[in-house]
Amino acid sequence: MSTDQRTIRCLVAKVGLDGHDRGAHVIARAFRDAGFEVIYSGLHKAPDEIVQAAVQEDVDVIGVSILSGAHNTLVPKIVNGLKEYDAFDDTLLIVGGIIPEEDRPGLKEMGVAGIFGPGASMEETVEFVRENVPDRE
């Protein structure tokens, strides 16, 4: 079944000690308004908790919101966890938050499909997900 025929399932995740969740709530609402099914992790989740939730909920997309500056430490742990569960290729991983330009190539090389910083439009993010979510046929 293509994504045109089923609801895209998204996990919006707050990883690490970052306690700022306004952006996560904004994107979760934008995804919901676009017709996606949204699961919100809540604050202060460890990378393995995010991986477990993604696997258990069989999500198509993980949107990691991170403002703490720990993206180079925490995102690789999510990537590796998804690979351990053989879920990486079936899961679109996007990151939102304060990600310096010099850190973006490394995140993309490890498999982050998209990075959305302050000022990214909700429409742009929703469209990116629709165009890039893995087909599970």
Side-chain angles (χ1 to χ4, degrees):
M1 184 186 317
S2 77
T3 54
D4 293 336
Q5 299 169 328
R6 67 175 172 84
T7 302
I8 296 172
R9 294 175 55 88
C10 301
L11 172 64
V12 175
K14 288 297 298 180
V15 64
L17 299 177
D18 179 5
H20 301 280
D21 63 350
R22 183 175 184 277
H25 286 278
V26 169
I27 196 64
R29 175 169 285 197
F31 285 167
R32 185 201 66 201
D33 290 350
F36 300 170
E37 182 179 341
V38 178
I39 299 124
Y40 176 60
S41 72
L43 289 171
H44 310 300
K45 297 302 178 194
D48 61 320
E49 291 175 302
I50 292 167
V51 170
Q52 288 292 321
V55 170
Q56 289 171 4
E57 295 289 345
D58 194 28
V59 298
D60 302 297
V61 181
I62 301 173
V64 177
S65 172
I66 189 161
L67 299 166
S68 67
H71 48 273
N72 286 332
T73 301
L74 298 173
V75 173
K77 291 179 180 181
I78 294 170
V79 169
N80 291 335
L82 290 170
K83 288 179 179 178
E84 284 177 27
Y85 281 93
D86 200 26
F88 184 74
D89 292 334
D90 294 333
T91 309
L92 181 71
L93 180 61
I94 60 175
V95 175
I98 309 295
I99 311 295
E101 283 298 324
E102 62 268 16
D103 292 345
R104 291 174 181 228
L107 292 172
K108 292 235 176 165
E109 283 175 26
M110 77 178 62
V112 173
I115 300 169
F116 300 89
S121 78
M122 296 302 106
E123 295 82 13
E124 171 190 1
T125 308
V126 166
E127 192 57 33
F128 182 88
V129 169
R130 283 194 173 124
E131 290 177 0
N132 292 283
V133 69
D135 192 11
R136 293 189 175 189
E137 288 191 284

